[in-house]
Amino acid sequence: MRGTRARGGERMRIEDYAMIGDTQSAALIGMDGSVDWLCLPRFDSPSCFARLLGDEHNGFWRLAAAGHDRAARRAYVEDTLVLATDWETSTGTARVVDFMPPRSGNPDLVRIVEGLSGTVEMTTEIRIRFDYGRIVPWVRRIGGHLHAIGGPDSVWVHSPICLRGGDYRHEATFTVAAGERVPFVFTWHPSHRPQPEVIDPLDELGLTVAVWREWISRCGYRGPWRDAVVRSLITLKALTYSPTGGIVAAPTTSLPERLGGVRNWDYRYCWLRDAAMALDALLRCGYLEEADAWRVWLLRAIAGRPEDHQIMYGVAGERRLPETTLDWLPGYEGSRPVRIGNGAAGQFQLDVYGQVVNALYRARKQGMAPDDYTWSLLLKGAVFLEHNWDRPDEGLWEVRGPRRHFVHSKVMAWLAFDRLTRAAELGRTGPFDRWAALRDHIHAEVCDKGYDPVRNTFTQSYGSRELDAALLQIPIVGFLPPDDPRVIGTVEAIERELMTDGFVLRYPLAEDNPVDGLPGGEGAFLACSFWLAEARAMIGRNNDAVELFQHLIALTNDVGLLAEEYDPTTDRQLGNFPQAFSHIHLIRTALALSGEIRGAGMAEATSR
């Protein structure tokens, strides 16, 4: 485990956390045994523990060996989302098993202390704080159990251990011996509803393990990086809101892209781009059911006029995601502001059309049943794209500066028309000749306006000199074949100009950067380095590709999770965590380097 040791309440690094969840919400638990983030009942609900973005007064629940600041080790129970954390003391060893059972009614968080050897003195402290750490609930003891209530939220804490109250917190010290089990059950429900039934924590443990084992048994990947791929697949499943099939980008908000900076965004929503790529990764590993659930979510979310389509939605398809700040929270390591909602929901981003069409095209190619409603929506979207592909946009990186003609956006518009044209192979009808002509026109324009012949590289936007890691998608989606000199030149230019300390930056950053409209820098966006590994393999540099991929896998924390970015200068993860985008491209690169897939567009690519 990399990183500094937590002493006397020292801040946990982002990679010091593990995630548990029930495919409707998720909790982050630190190496110190503390649940520091949990939103209920949904990923995007207000939190009841928010120390991750504040301090102990904003809510947490610690369960650890007395006098110990950090666990000896932890791991997920086999291929599940059940976390086992071991505490070693001079008198014995105890294990804390944390999980959230599959939800049948109200959400539960279960913590079971197991004595492994000798005797261990354990301590627990819980501070429940609703509404992102702002509301201190009224807590009372009913029938030997704690009941906390504040506004719309209500929580019960059930345990044979008596928790003593004082100073707006509850705590206890107890001893567990070898063979003993001491459970705690934390249950949320709407405050206007009756007290929910108490679950049996041991029964729920067995059920939860069985559910995850059955799900991962369907994984079709058998390559050399199976452990990393399996953990990434489980992470994507955990980030799927099971009632609707929507996939959130991350279960957190406002974890910074630079410590102390302002690049702090709420990722608890469903980006069409991220979800489309997740769909492709799940399909390639054999998960057709999850892919179909996402398609149904998509059709509900985008139903209506194509001009009203958004680049992101709420987990149930909500469209209004107003961005506000929580001024009472100081932010992770002083990184302010803390934001909820996301203003990028109102941006115009051309690339999402290509990502969605490509994902649905590949889904049909891989066995998903045809659907006339899906095709009718795509037809309407195609009409909109025909009249709007040549507009400048905010692009893949959701810049908050002026709109530009981003090359990646135009390539993705090309991708949309290319895949729509290829739907003829699947028995569909449409204006294929018109789409093909427009596809070829876009291709010619990108090669003319988005390519620098002097430097032999494509550029970030028309007429610019800046590079962009998103240009690595050109061979991956099949815009040009990987042996095209312009592709090779672009890969080499990105290696020269965007790589730092072995990682690929998204684009050049400066304090007065006119591109993204934000001050300060950021870490290395991990997906970009995965793209480079895949692009290297495609242009015949397989050894370099594998070397980079192994380096990236080594960045996962002790339980196999990745955040959005990595800072090589401080050797730590940055950004929201765990990040679906990072795990999606870990899966994809592993499949590509294992020879189980070719680039998404390699077979279709033609030199133009």
Side-chain angles (χ1 to χ4, degrees):
M1 179 70 189
R2 292 170 296 279
T4 57
R5 178 174 296 273
R7 299 185 182 91
E10 180 182 325
R11 167 72 71 176
M12 290 280 107
R13 290 190 171 204
I14 291 171
E15 59 264 43
D16 286 336
Y17 287 96
M19 175 182 69
I20 60 173
D22 62 0
T23 69
Q24 294 191 45
S25 186
L28 294 191
I29 304 175
M31 283 289 289
D32 60 350
S34 180
V35 181
D36 286 350
W37 183 253
L38 175 61
C39 298
L40 292 173
R42 305 192 333 178
F43 290 109
D44 57 350
S45 298
S47 67
C48 48
F49 299 127
R51 183 163 70 170
L52 180 70
L53 300 177
D55 58 30
E56 61 183 15
H57 300 291
N58 302 120
F60 71 98
W61 180 11
R62 187 162 190 258
L63 181 57
H68 290 256
D69 295 323
R70 194 179 186 94
R73 58 189 167 272
R74 63 181 179 180
Y76 287 112
V77 176
E78 298 182 8
D79 294 336
T80 73
L81 205 63
V82 176
L83 183 69
T85 303
D86 290 351
W87 295 87
E88 293 183 349
T89 72
S90 59
T91 59
T93 301
R95 171 172 294 165
V96 177
V97 178
D98 292 309
F99 65 98
M100 294 177 70
R103 196 181 303 185
S104 58
N106 299 295
D108 301 288
L109 185 150
V110 179
R111 314 194 75 181
I112 302 174
V113 183
E114 300 179 346
L116 300 182
S117 66
T119 60
V120 178
E121 185 179 53
M122 301 291 294
T123 182
T124 187
E125 179 181 351
I126 185 168
R127 296 192 184 197
I128 303 168
R129 299 292 185 267
F130 297 130
D131 194 22
Y132 301 104
R134 190 173 65 92
I135 295 177
V136 179
W138 181 265
V139 182
R140 55 182 176 162
R141 194 178 306 279
I142 301 177
H145 306 289
L146 293 185
H147 179 222
I149 189 169
D153 299 294
S154 176
V155 162
W156 291 83
V157 181
H158 301 280
S159 177
I161 301 300
C162 180
L163 296 165
R164 303 178 303 276
D167 193 26
Y168 302 105
R169 63 180 181 176
H170 287 76
E171 59 186 356
T173 300
F174 60 97
T175 300
V176 61
E180 292 183 343
R181 286 181 169 181
V182 179
F184 295 81
V185 178
F186 179 98
T187 303
W188 179 95
H189 70 106
S191 60
H192 65 277
R193 300 295 299 274
Q195 176 183 354
E197 293 185 10
V198 183
I199 64 171
D200 185 314
L202 298 183
D203 286 349
E204 293 296 330
L205 174 59
L207 172 64
T208 304
V209 169
V211 166
W212 283 106
R213 284 177 174 169
E214 188 283 326
W215 187 82
I216 205 60
S217 69
R218 293 185 272 138
C219 173
Y221 177 74
R222 296 292 183 269
W225 297 288
R226 185 182 182 279
D227 288 348
V229 169
V230 163
R231 182 49 51 193
S232 294
L233 286 168
I234 290 173
T235 301
L236 293 184
K237 176 65 172 177
L239 296 179
T240 302
Y241 185 66
S242 57
T244 66
I247 302 173
V248 298
T252 58
T253 179
S254 299
L255 289 179
E257 297 174 15
R258 183 180 187 179
L259 295 178
V262 301
R263 298 171 184 264
N264 318 318
W265 315 109
D266 193 346
Y267 275 16
R268 299 171 300 156
Y269 305 113
C270 306
W271 271 253
L272 294 187
R273 174 193 310 109
D274 299 36
M277 292 181 174
L279 163 72
D280 190 55
L282 289 166
L283 276 170
R284 292 182 187 280
C285 293
Y287 291 98
L288 189 62
E289 180 181 333
E290 284 71 18
D292 194 54
W294 175 82
R295 179 177 66 173
V296 174
W297 171 86
L298 171 72
L299 298 180
R300 289 195 302 266
I302 68 173
R305 301 186 306 168
E307 55 266 38
D308 295 332
H309 289 177
Q310 298 183 184
I311 58 102
M312 75 175 81
Y313 297 86
V315 295
E318 296 88 351
R319 301 191 180 194
R320 286 199 309 110
L321 308 175
E323 184 174 298
T324 59
T325 60
L326 306 182
D327 296 333
W328 62 86
L329 287 174
Y332 180 86
E333 295 199 13
S335 303
R336 303 182 74 173
V338 171
R339 294 181 173 94
I340 59 172
N342 200 306
Q347 289 188 350
F348 175 54
Q349 298 176 23
L350 273 170
D351 72 288
V352 297
Y353 294 92
Q355 297 287 6
V356 169
V357 174
N358 186 51
L360 292 172
Y361 167 77
R362 296 202 62 82
R364 281 285 292 113
K365 293 279 283 187
Q366 295 179 68
M368 184 178 288
D371 180 76
D372 291 341
Y373 181 46
T374 302
W375 182 243
S376 65
L377 283 179
L378 290 181
L379 288 174
K380 289 291 185 182
V383 172
F384 175 80
L385 191 57
E386 285 184 68
H387 293 91
N388 291 275
W389 71 267
D390 55 352
R391 291 169 52 192
D393 72 334
E394 279 89 2
L396 166 71
W397 304 126
E398 300 178 357
V399 300
R400 302 209 172 189
R403 290 180 176 179
R404 296 177 177 229
H405 290 284
F406 288 104
V407 170
H408 173 263
S409 296
K410 306 304 185 189
V411 169
M412 292 298 115
W414 169 90
L415 179 65
F417 289 116
D418 181 77
R419 299 308 189 256
L420 284 167
T421 302
R422 295 181 187 280
E425 308 164 2
L426 305 174
R428 290 296 178 185
T429 58
F432 298 122
D433 291 342
R434 189 172 79 235
W435 289 340
L438 186 52
R439 173 197 64 190
D440 295 345
H441 174 72
I442 296 171
H443 195 284
E445 181 180 289
V446 169
C447 291
D448 177 39
K449 297 182 179 180
Y451 174 70
D452 183 347
V454 176
R455 295 157 65 210
N456 188 29
T457 180
F458 287 92
T459 58
Q460 184 179 55
S461 61
Y462 289 176
S464 72
R465 286 188 55 82
E466 292 89 2
L467 297 182
D468 192 318
L471 299 169
L472 294 167
Q473 290 289 308
I474 286 175
I476 291 174
V477 302
F479 183 82
L480 287 172
D483 59 355
D484 189 292
R486 292 167 292 184
V487 168
I488 297 172
T490 300
V491 172
E492 292 175 348
I494 287 172
E495 289 176 323
R496 288 193 308 270
E497 300 184 30
L498 289 186
M499 287 197 77
T500 177
D501 297 311
F503 298 92
V504 181
L505 300 178
R506 294 193 289 181
Y507 45 81
L509 285 173
E511 289 297 324
D512 58 350
N513 189 346
V515 175
D516 67 16
L518 294 168
E522 64 177 8
F525 196 79
L526 288 170
C528 299
S529 296
F530 283 117
W531 293 344
L532 178 59
E534 185 170 357
R536 281 177 171 177
M538 293 179 73
I539 66 174
R541 294 168 52 190
N542 196 67
N543 290 340
D544 291 340
V546 171
E547 181 181 6
L548 176 56
F549 184 58
Q550 297 277 36
H551 176 55
L552 295 171
I553 285 184
L555 300 179
T556 59
N557 72 355
D558 59 314
V559 290
L561 301 181
L562 286 172
E564 180 182 27
E565 299 184 359
Y566 191 80
D567 183 358
T569 61
T570 59
D571 189 28
R572 60 187 298 181
Q573 297 191 28
L574 294 174
N576 284 303
F577 174 89
Q579 174 67 235
F581 213 57
S582 298
H583 285 281
I584 288 166
H585 291 289
L586 185 156
I587 295 168
R588 178 182 176 87
T589 308
L591 292 169
L593 298 186
S594 302
E596 299 198 12
I597 63 169
R598 303 179 72 202
M602 284 180 66
E604 296 92 354
T606 57
S607 181
R608 300 176 188 271

